[in-house]
């Protein structure tokens, strides 16, 4: 692989993490926003837009620290920890035509809650070597292979805070105040790529990952044990270097998805920023890898783009998987808008993998546009009843943009709670312009019911031009928020986050 194609592999891996513009940074100074050069209006061509750099996606340009945040309502005193969220926040971009949203450098936003107070807010770029250079700061040591400012997820694991990226880069560790500590390789046991979508089996005390890399002829299932070391690696043969953004876990199986989004070697050689393409002739399939050992069993399905899995569990001779999907085709590289392109909106589906009859049945659970599904994390790999999703109008419109000009369609902003037992939903509606990020469920102290707890999400306040941390009682989902923490700045639409409780 040439140097140029290797760089393209890394860029493609960063984009595979899915779902304004920062100018040049002077040494020792915060980044300042630079707007795209205006283009003259004509009667034959509409004004060019970059939806993934505008409105709710516009990157913030400086790192903020604020203490003693104002709160409306009353924060539950049992919420002691940090609510963190990661996402791309481009740094030092001069030409939007050379940019893709998912290539933006990772920035983690966090609020520290303790004893009913919102003690602080911070936002910090992940200090990869390239980010340190742009900020005029010293690098933190040798540059690892495929170094990248991980922009997709941030989790807590065994007392560490880890920013995650799939396909190539090592995770980055952060300290309790979001300062970058350095890359992390699970005590020297991680070989090769990692994932942005880990699954933690609370009963087994195991962290699971499915990892891929364009140069491999396989994907890998990793099991990280209570010691924080990789205990087991299983290689799953595949062809064509498919993108495996997410996976699912049950008590018996690891569920993997081989869909028609594949690495494009010719695009990598050309230096395409995003060398991944939809391969319409490629069969789509879902595989079950026994956790106890053995070969994968594959089942063909109709082509779709699965975005994120909700959860999965065993039910007799079947495996139940809930997820969000987009209709085929799905173009991760986009078609000129600076981000991915979808042929339709995301919806929530249930796939039943029937091992006895060798088939997969699919059922639409909710066709309203929504993304970033989450459950009570204590139930990962086991039967769940409730699912929490986010509907953000700006994200839906941006994904439907094919040529830089969003379609003239209206979508709303909301957080949604699904009751899969009753087949009902509760919708916490948000105002126009109040883009909502991923909602994370936090259980209450001593909770016995699955939904006894709170949902936390960053929501834009269009009146202030800044974000709020919204705290809802999960059992009173459509009621008034328990609390609203007013942040000093914006939290652009991004990817995933976690509640990291105090030890």
């Amino acid at each position: 692989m040439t140097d140029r194609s290797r760089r393209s592999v890394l860029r493609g891996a960063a984009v595979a993490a899915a779902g304004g513009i920062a100018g040049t940074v002077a040494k020792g100074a915060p980044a300042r926003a630079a707007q795209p050069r205006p283009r003259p209006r004509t009667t034959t061509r509409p004004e060019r837009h970059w939806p993934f750099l505008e409105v709710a996606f516009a990157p913030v340009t400086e790192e903020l620290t604020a203490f003693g945040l104002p709160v409306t309502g009353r924060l539950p005193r049992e919420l002691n920890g940090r609510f963190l969220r990661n996402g791309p926040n481009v740094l030092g971009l001069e030409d939007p035509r050379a940019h893709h949203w998912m290539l933006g450098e990772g920035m983690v936003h966090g609020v520290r809650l303790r004893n009913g107070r919102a003690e602080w807010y911070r936002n910090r770029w992940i200090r990869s070597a390239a980010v340190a250079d742009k900020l005029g700061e010293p690098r933190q040591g040798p540059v690892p292979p495929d170094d990248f400012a991980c922009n997709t997820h941030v989790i807590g694991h065994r007392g560490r805070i880890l920013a995650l990226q799939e396909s190539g880069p090592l995770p980055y560790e952060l300290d309790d105040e979001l300062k970058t500590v350095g890359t992390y390789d699970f005590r020297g046991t991680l070989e090769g790529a990692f994932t942005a979508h880990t699954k933690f089996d609370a009963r087994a005390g195991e962290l699971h990952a499915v990892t891929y890399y364009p140069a491999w002829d396989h994907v890998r299932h990793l099991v990280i044990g209570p010691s924080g070391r990789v205990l087991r690696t299983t290689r799953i043969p595949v062809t064509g270097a498919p993108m495996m953004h997410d996976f699912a876990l049950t008590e018996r199986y690891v569920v993997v998805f081989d869909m028609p989004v594949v690495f494009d070697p010719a695009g990598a050689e050309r230096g395409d920023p995003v060398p991944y393409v939809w391969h319409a002739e490629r069969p789509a399939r879902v595989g079950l890898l026994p956790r106890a050992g053995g070969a994968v069993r594959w089942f063909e399905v109709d082509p779709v783009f699965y975005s994120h899995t909700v959860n999965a569990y065993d039910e007799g001779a079947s495996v139940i998987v809930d997820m969000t999907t987009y209709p085929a085709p799905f173009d991760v590289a986009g078609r000129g808008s600076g981000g991915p392109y979808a042929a339709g909106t995301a919806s929530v589906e249930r796939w039943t993998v029937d091992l006895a009859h060798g088939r997969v049945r699919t059922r639409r659970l909710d066709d309203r546009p929504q993304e970033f599904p989450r459950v009570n994390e204590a139930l990962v790999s086991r039967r769940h009843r409730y699912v929490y999703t986010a509907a953000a109008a700006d994200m839906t419109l941006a994904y439907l943009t094919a040529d830089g000009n969003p379609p003239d369609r209206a979508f709303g902003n909301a957080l949604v709670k699904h009751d899969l037992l009753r087949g009902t939903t509760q919708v916490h509606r948000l105002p126009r312009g109040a883009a909502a990020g991923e909602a994370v469920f936090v259980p209450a102290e001593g909770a016995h019911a699955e939904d006894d707890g709170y949902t936390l999400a960053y929501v834009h306040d269009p009146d202030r031009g800044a974000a709020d941390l919204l705290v809802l009682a999960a059992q009173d989902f459509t009621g008034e928020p328990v609390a609203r923490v007013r942040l000093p700045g914006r939290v652009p639409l991004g990817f995933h986050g976690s509640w990291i409780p105090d030890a």
Side-chain angles (χ1 to χ4, degrees):
M1 183 179 295
T2 67
D3 288 343
R4 183 171 70 174
S5 63
R6 185 174 181 83
R7 288 193 298 270
S8 294
V9 165
L10 177 58
R11 288 196 297 268
V15 168
I21 303 164
T24 303
V25 181
K27 184 173 182 178
R32 298 294 177 186
Q35 298 300 318
R37 295 186 180 92
R39 298 190 175 200
R41 295 180 181 271
T42 69
T43 57
T44 58
R45 176 177 295 179
E47 181 183 3
R48 182 72 178 190
H49 292 281
W50 306 98
F52 290 94
L53 292 169
E54 300 169 354
V55 196
F57 291 94
V60 297
T61 60
E62 58 187 348
E63 296 177 329
L64 302 176
T65 301
F67 299 94
L69 306 176
V71 177
T72 302
R74 179 172 295 181
L75 282 168
R77 294 183 65 84
E78 62 188 298
L79 291 180
N80 293 294
R82 293 160 177 80
F83 181 62
L84 309 181
R85 204 227 61 193
N86 200 353
N89 196 93
V90 64
L91 174 65
L93 180 69
E94 296 181 350
D95 186 351
R97 294 171 299 180
H99 178 62
H100 191 286
W101 173 48
M102 297 172 189
L103 295 179
E105 291 85 351
M107 174 178 276
V108 174
H109 300 256
V111 173
R112 205 289 190 237
L113 304 180
R114 181 157 49 190
N115 296 328
R117 302 189 309 275
E119 290 189 344
W120 55 250
Y121 163 80
R122 287 178 168 88
N123 64 311
R124 297 292 185 270
W125 274 288
I126 306 297
R127 260 50 173 194
S128 66
V131 168
D133 290 347
K134 290 180 180 180
L135 293 175
E137 299 175 356
R139 296 180 178 181
Q140 298 185 347
V143 181
D146 297 330
D147 188 35
F148 186 75
C150 300
N151 70 12
T152 311
H153 205 348
V154 56
I155 65 170
H157 181 64
R158 303 295 175 195
R160 301 177 187 272
I161 298 173
L162 302 177
L164 303 181
Q165 186 82 20
E166 67 196 62
S167 187
L170 288 173
Y172 263 94
E173 182 180 355
L174 310 179
D175 69 12
D176 288 345
E177 295 184 346
L178 307 188
K179 181 180 178 181
T180 300
V181 175
T183 55
Y184 186 68
D185 61 4
F186 297 95
R187 303 176 67 180
T189 61
L190 177 62
E191 297 181 0
F194 200 57
T195 183
H197 288 288
T198 54
K199 311 296 178 187
F200 184 69
D201 184 331
R203 289 188 187 176
E206 296 174 343
L207 186 70
H208 291 250
V210 170
T211 69
Y212 71 96
Y213 192 73
W216 294 349
D217 60 359
H218 61 277
V219 297
R220 300 176 184 178
H221 169 235
L222 310 180
V223 180
I224 300 162
S227 67
R229 297 176 180 269
V230 178
L231 299 180
R232 187 169 65 254
T233 300
T234 302
R235 297 191 176 195
I236 305 170
V238 295
T239 60
M243 186 187 78
M244 290 196 181
H245 175 57
D246 202 352
F247 72 104
L249 190 70
T250 77
E251 292 183 273
R252 292 186 296 174
Y253 296 102
V254 180
V255 187
V256 294
F257 302 88
D258 185 358
M259 296 293 144
V261 177
V262 296
F263 178 65
D264 178 19
E269 287 294 336
R270 288 193 304 268
D272 290 356
V274 188
Y276 280 86
V277 296
W278 180 272
H279 196 311
E281 293 75 28
R282 181 186 178 88
R285 58 183 187 164
V286 56
L288 300 183
L289 171 70
R291 286 176 63 171
V296 176
R297 183 177 176 186
W298 293 102
F299 305 79
E300 288 199 7
V301 295
D302 291 334
V304 296
F305 179 75
Y306 79 101
S307 179
H308 297 102
T309 60
V310 176
N311 191 31
Y313 57 89
D314 303 305
E315 187 175 76
S318 296
V319 169
I320 310 298
V321 189
D322 294 338
M323 67 185 79
T324 52
T325 66
Y326 290 86
F330 187 90
D331 190 341
V332 296
R335 302 183 181 181
S337 65
Y341 167 72
T345 59
S347 58
V348 181
E349 290 192 354
R350 169 163 289 182
W351 291 13
T352 301
V353 186
D354 185 340
L355 284 81
H357 297 90
R359 64 187 182 187
V360 179
R361 299 188 303 273
T362 64
R363 179 164 64 95
R364 184 72 56 84
L365 299 179
D366 194 335
D367 61 1
R368 284 173 290 192
Q370 58 200 290
E371 251 288 16
F372 302 135
R374 298 295 291 259
V375 297
N376 184 329
E377 300 292 315
L379 297 177
V380 168
S381 79
R382 292 161 184 86
R383 184 189 296 270
H384 59 279
R385 174 176 175 177
Y386 300 106
V387 178
Y388 306 90
T389 60
D394 286 346
M395 179 168 286
T396 301
L397 286 168
Y399 269 63
L400 295 176
T401 297
D403 57 1
N405 292 284
D408 185 16
R409 298 175 63 179
F411 296 97
N413 297 299
L415 298 174
V416 185
K417 177 185 178 183
H418 300 264
D419 184 336
L420 301 183
L421 178 62
R422 294 183 176 178
T424 60
T425 58
Q426 297 178 54
V427 181
H428 189 94
R429 302 190 185 280
L430 299 165
R432 181 180 179 88
E438 178 182 64
V440 175
F441 176 82
V442 181
E445 285 185 2
H448 296 289
E450 179 183 335
D451 64 341
D452 184 5
Y454 310 94
T455 53
L456 277 62
Y458 290 125
V459 176
H460 185 65
D461 182 344
D463 293 331
R464 293 196 306 116
D468 294 338
L469 170 56
L470 190 69
V471 181
L472 302 178
Q475 293 183 335
D476 185 22
F477 198 77
T478 61
E480 286 296 313
V482 173
R484 243 181 221 277
V485 180
R486 298 178 63 176
L487 308 188
R490 296 177 49 252
V491 178
L493 281 176
F495 295 137
H496 308 286
S498 300
W499 169 252
I500 301 179
D502 292 346

